[in-house]
Amino acid sequence: MIDFSELRKHHKRYRMLRWIGQRTAWTQHLIAWFKQHLPWLFRMMAFVARHLSRLYFINPLRYIKRLDWYIIKKFIGTYIYSIALIISISIVVDVNENLAKFTEYHAPLKAIIFDYYLNFIPYFANLFSPLFVFIAVIFFTSKLAGNSEIISMLAAGVSFKRLMRPYMLSCILISAVSFYLSGYVIPHSNIIKQNFESLYKNKKLNTAADNVMLQVGRGTVAYIQHYDNNAKRGYGFSLDKFYGKKLISHLTAMEIQYDTISDAKYHWTLQNYKIRKFNGYREVIESGAKKDSLILMEPTDLIYSKGQQETFTSPQLSDYISKQINRGSSNVVQYQVEYHKRIAASFASFILTIIGLSLSAKKRKGGMGLYLGIGLALSFIYIMLQTVSSTFAINANLPPIIAAWIPNIIFAVVAYFCYRHAPK
């Protein structure tokens, strides 16, 4: 008796043959193409066969030995377990703190889980990633040293430099994930999380601005008396164009509305507008009830809220910074710090791993308690340096790229001295 799996297999074959039979012309073209290119395919196969040994040589996996896989699994496993543990504790503490607000503002369970906590996890996991890279390295390396496994590796001829290879490979993976999260995933999560907090935690977002003036192009200055970001509408708008120091056009409008459904950016609709053009001693006046216009500004240029730079992906952040610099805006330092900090934070895993491995590779009587304490202290110092250096960049005119890299530079020096005194 034929079982159900055999019937499914024959049914799939029948459907495939029927599909081919219905497309005889397409099948004939495919066979003709194979016949025409058959010599080329044979030459390609011969080329691959001749250079197969070279392809094996450049394969990076051939350099990862059994010892490397053993350490990589230990590293990544301990790191994921540590992150999962601290995130679980953070969620429990956050639920206990915000349960009254969720109840007060009638937050639905689906929104709490999928809009708040699902976007809460990647932010805090990435924030504490350097801390738990350090703790994971110290924890499992101290255990290896306590079981005399590090001593056995060094006695077998494995150098300390060679021992670092699986640690660095693990750091490449962690750094790549961290950079992708901070540059592309977390900004979208922050937008959803901020919208949830504004609805159910009474954290009001800044949705209006008064007396906004900005340069939207070379020699073009825009002014809005009041702007409402919820309606994407502004009141008391004016646009002045200059040639050198001479005013050549002055536009005023009672209202200005951003076109949110347009395929392109910078589309605005002017209502009750008036345009005055100056040509020497002559003046041309144009007025009307409605006019579609292209003005090089967006709602994000008019409204600033705390932490807005964390809602931009890295490409958006780069475009925003270059646009604001071209406009001569001075309110761009925090965006530059955020952009460089995302890159610098990705390299923290390498530096902290070298320090952790150098400290914990030697077998000591005291166990790992002392080194876990040192690891926690150094990691919190690193996070504190990030905050302090960012404050110096915003308030003390420190260059943003230097402010973002100061923690890495200081800890790189510490890592060098730890590596020099590591057991060889």
Side-chain angles (χ1 to χ4, degrees):
M1 185 176 178
I2 302 175
D3 59 0
F4 183 70
S5 61
E6 289 292 328
L7 289 174
R8 287 187 63 185
K9 188 189 299 182
H10 290 301
H11 182 65
K12 288 180 180 178
R13 289 175 183 172
Y14 169 73
R15 289 179 61 187
M16 182 180 68
L17 291 173
R18 188 179 65 178
W19 185 85
I20 293 173
Q22 291 174 350
R23 292 164 177 80
T24 54
W26 181 85
T27 308
Q28 290 173 357
H29 282 301
L30 182 63
I31 295 171
W33 185 89
F34 270 108
K35 286 182 178 179
Q36 182 181 357
H37 295 84
L38 200 60
W40 179 83
L41 291 172
F42 278 122
R43 286 198 301 270
M44 181 61 67
M45 292 172 63
F47 175 82
V48 171
R50 285 196 307 269
H51 296 83
L52 195 60
S53 59
R54 296 183 182 178
L55 293 174
Y56 172 75
F57 180 76
I58 63 174
N59 182 16
L61 294 178
R62 70 183 290 265
Y63 297 102
I64 305 178
K65 307 299 182 183
R66 184 176 297 178
L67 174 65
D68 300 322
W69 284 118
Y70 175 71
I71 294 177
I72 288 171
K73 289 176 183 177
K74 290 276 187 181
F75 191 165
I76 301 297
T78 309
Y79 170 76
I80 293 174
Y81 178 78
S82 305
I83 287 287
L85 185 63
I86 192 62
I87 290 299
S88 302
I89 295 171
S90 301
I91 289 174
V92 170
V93 172
D94 192 79
V95 168
N96 186 50
E97 182 181 349
N98 295 309
L99 188 60
K101 287 187 177 180
F102 292 157
T103 307
E104 180 184 355
Y105 291 99
H106 307 288
L109 182 62
K110 183 179 179 181
I112 293 172
I113 295 173
F114 293 102
D115 291 348
Y116 185 69
Y117 283 112
L118 198 63
N119 297 297
F120 174 96
I121 291 171
Y123 176 78
F124 280 94
N126 194 61
L127 178 65
F128 293 113
S129 179
L131 168 65
F132 285 98
V133 164
F134 199 87
I135 291 175
V137 170
I138 287 183
F139 183 81
F140 86 87
T141 306
S142 298
K143 199 168 183 180
L144 292 178
N147 294 333
S148 300
E149 295 180 64
I150 300 291
I151 296 173
S152 302
M153 295 175 194
L154 297 176
V158 178
S159 65
F160 188 77
K161 185 177 180 181
R162 170 64 181 83
L163 185 63
M164 289 179 60
R165 182 193 293 178
Y167 288 86
M168 294 297 104
L169 291 173
S170 303
C171 287
I172 290 173
L173 177 62
I174 293 172
S175 298
V177 172
S178 176
F179 179 76
Y180 180 75
L181 284 175
S182 62
Y184 299 93
V185 176
I186 294 176
H188 295 296
S189 300
N190 285 336
I191 294 173
I192 300 172
K193 186 166 164 283
Q194 287 180 4
N195 291 334
F196 176 90
E197 289 176 343
S198 66
L199 288 173
Y200 303 114
K201 290 182 68 176
N202 200 27
K203 286 189 176 181
K204 299 300 182 183
L205 298 175
N206 188 15
T207 59
D210 294 313
N211 299 321
V212 180
M213 180 178 288
L214 71 157
Q215 182 176 327
V216 297
R218 186 178 294 274
T220 305
V221 179
Y223 171 79
I224 297 180
Q225 185 177 3
H226 177 77
Y227 177 76
D228 182 7
N229 194 48
N230 291 328
K232 298 292 188 292
R233 183 183 295 271
Y235 304 91
F237 177 75
S238 67
L239 186 71
D240 296 324
K241 293 184 179 180
F242 295 87
Y243 182 75
K245 297 182 179 180
K246 186 177 180 181
L247 180 66
I248 60 172
S249 174
H250 177 68
L251 180 149
T252 57
M254 294 292 292
E255 294 182 6
I256 182 170
Q257 176 72 49
Y258 186 68
D259 189 356
T260 56
I261 61 174
S262 176
D263 295 333
K265 298 188 294 184
Y266 311 129
H267 281 268
W268 295 83
T269 301
L270 308 176
Q271 297 181 9
N272 297 325
Y273 70 94
K274 183 178 182 181
I275 304 174
R276 300 173 61 192
K277 297 181 180 179
F278 305 100
N279 185 12
Y281 293 103
R282 297 183 58 188
E283 179 181 353
V284 179
I285 299 176
E286 176 189 348
S287 61
K290 187 175 181 181
K291 180 179 178 67
D292 292 330
S293 182
L294 190 67
I295 305 172
L296 299 179
M297 66 179 186
E298 297 178 90
T300 53
D301 301 329
L302 304 173
I303 297 292
Y304 173 76
S305 57
K306 185 179 179 181
Q308 183 181 2
Q309 66 272 15
E310 296 178 355
T311 63
F312 291 164
T313 63
S314 291
Q316 291 173 344
L317 202 57
S318 178
D319 293 340
Y320 184 85
I321 290 168
S322 60
K323 185 170 65 175
Q324 293 299 103
I325 290 175
N326 292 333
R327 289 174 174 172
S329 175
S330 59
N331 189 24
V332 76
V333 177
Q334 56 266 39
Y335 295 90
Q336 292 175 316
V337 171
E338 176 67 21
Y339 180 78
H340 293 296
K341 189 169 71 174
R342 291 178 183 179
I343 301 172
S346 302
F347 288 90
S349 301
F350 296 94
I351 299 170
L352 295 175
T353 298
I354 294 172
I355 298 174
L357 176 59
S358 303
L359 288 176
S360 57
K362 189 174 180 180
K363 186 176 181 180
R364 291 178 172 88
K365 293 181 181 179
M368 69 178 73
L370 175 63
Y371 298 101
L372 282 175
I374 294 173
L376 286 170
L378 288 174
S379 301
F380 281 119
I381 289 171
Y382 180 85
I383 296 172
M384 184 188 70
L385 280 174
Q386 279 187 325
T387 306
V388 171
S389 60
S390 300
T391 305
F392 277 131
I394 296 170
N395 299 324
N397 296 325
L398 185 68
I401 188 169
I402 295 177
W405 282 89
I406 277 178
N408 284 358
I409 294 169
I410 294 174
F411 274 75
V413 175
V414 176
Y416 173 76
F417 283 103
C418 290
Y419 175 76
R420 294 286 295 176
H421 292 86
K424 301 296 190 292

